[in-house]
Amino acid sequence: MPASLHVSLPDDLRRFVDSRAGDSALYATPSEYVRDLIRRDMQRLSVEQSMLRGLDQAERGEFVADDFLGRLIDDIG
C-alpha cells in the first residue's frame, strides 16, 4: 500500500503544480506530477553517480569507455 506524504507549498508553488496537473495538463493529478519529478531526480542522481564512478576509474587508470557508456545508458534508460 502506498504511503502518503503531505507537503505544504507556498501559494506560487501550489499554483504552478496545479497548472501542471489537471484536465488540460500532462499529468492527471498533482501526485502524479510529484511522483514523476521524484523518478526523474532519482534517474538524474543515478547518471551523476555513474559519471563520478567513471571519473574515479579514469583517475586510477581503470577507465574502459565501453563499460562506462554501457552503465550510463542503463542508468538513463
Side-chain angles (χ1 to χ4, degrees):
M1 177 168 190
S4 293
L5 174 68
H6 299 277
V7 178
S8 296
L9 299 173
D11 290 340
D12 60 331
L13 292 181
R14 180 59 201 224
R15 281 190 298 275
F16 181 79
V17 169
D18 288 343
S19 76
R20 302 293 288 153
D23 293 337
S24 62
L26 179 62
Y27 301 95
T29 65
S31 292
E32 186 180 305
Y33 175 59
V34 170
R35 282 190 297 270
D36 188 51
L37 288 175
I38 293 168
R39 286 184 194 105
R40 289 173 188 244
D41 191 41
M42 290 171 67
Q43 184 179 38
R44 181 201 52 79
L45 182 60
S46 180
V47 168
E48 185 179 289
Q49 289 171 341
S50 287
M51 293 175 73
L52 290 172
R53 280 192 305 273
L55 288 172
D56 186 50
Q57 288 175 338
E59 287 176 354
R60 293 191 318 260
E62 301 170 357
F63 183 77
V64 178
D66 290 340
D67 291 345
F68 171 73
L69 292 174
R71 282 195 315 270
L72 191 59
I73 289 169
D74 288 344
D75 289 341
I76 291 171

